[in-house]
Amino acid sequence: MPVSDPDIWRAAKLLIDRHGDEAPVHAAMRCDDLMAAGDTEGWAVWRHICNAIDELLRPIPHQGESRH
């Protein structure tokens, strides 16, 4: 069952609200657990959540700076 983009972003925001700067660690541990259990579909969803967390926690560049 595919997970929608809004669900990914909501999950990422929830983890950040609960764990703050430690959210990436918690999400990565969940990915590891799912991979160890052989749940590749669950792992893929959590990889998207990890990416969303990274994006939400990325500092906003100063005016004139590029993110890349």
Side-chain angles (χ1 to χ4, degrees), residues 13-36:
K13 178 72 169 87
L14 180 63
L15 282 165
I16 291 169
D17 290 347
R18 285 187 183 167
H19 301 290
D21 290 340
E22 294 295 314
V25 174
H26 288 273
M29 288 189 310
R30 183 67 179 138
C31 282
D32 291 345
D33 291 344
L34 290 165
M35 184 56 75

Side-chain angles (χ1 to χ4, degrees), residues 13-62:
K13 178 72 169 87
L14 180 63
L15 282 165
I16 291 169
D17 290 347
R18 285 187 183 167
H19 301 290
D21 290 340
E22 294 295 314
V25 174
H26 288 273
M29 288 189 310
R30 183 67 179 138
C31 282
D32 291 345
D33 291 344
L34 290 165
M35 184 56 75
D39 183 353
T40 56
E41 289 182 20
W43 175 86
V45 169
W46 275 86
R47 281 306 311 148
H48 288 293
I49 294 170
C50 287
N51 292 338
I53 289 170
D54 290 344
E55 185 67 25
L56 289 171
L57 292 179
R58 181 178 299 159
I60 298 171
H62 295 285

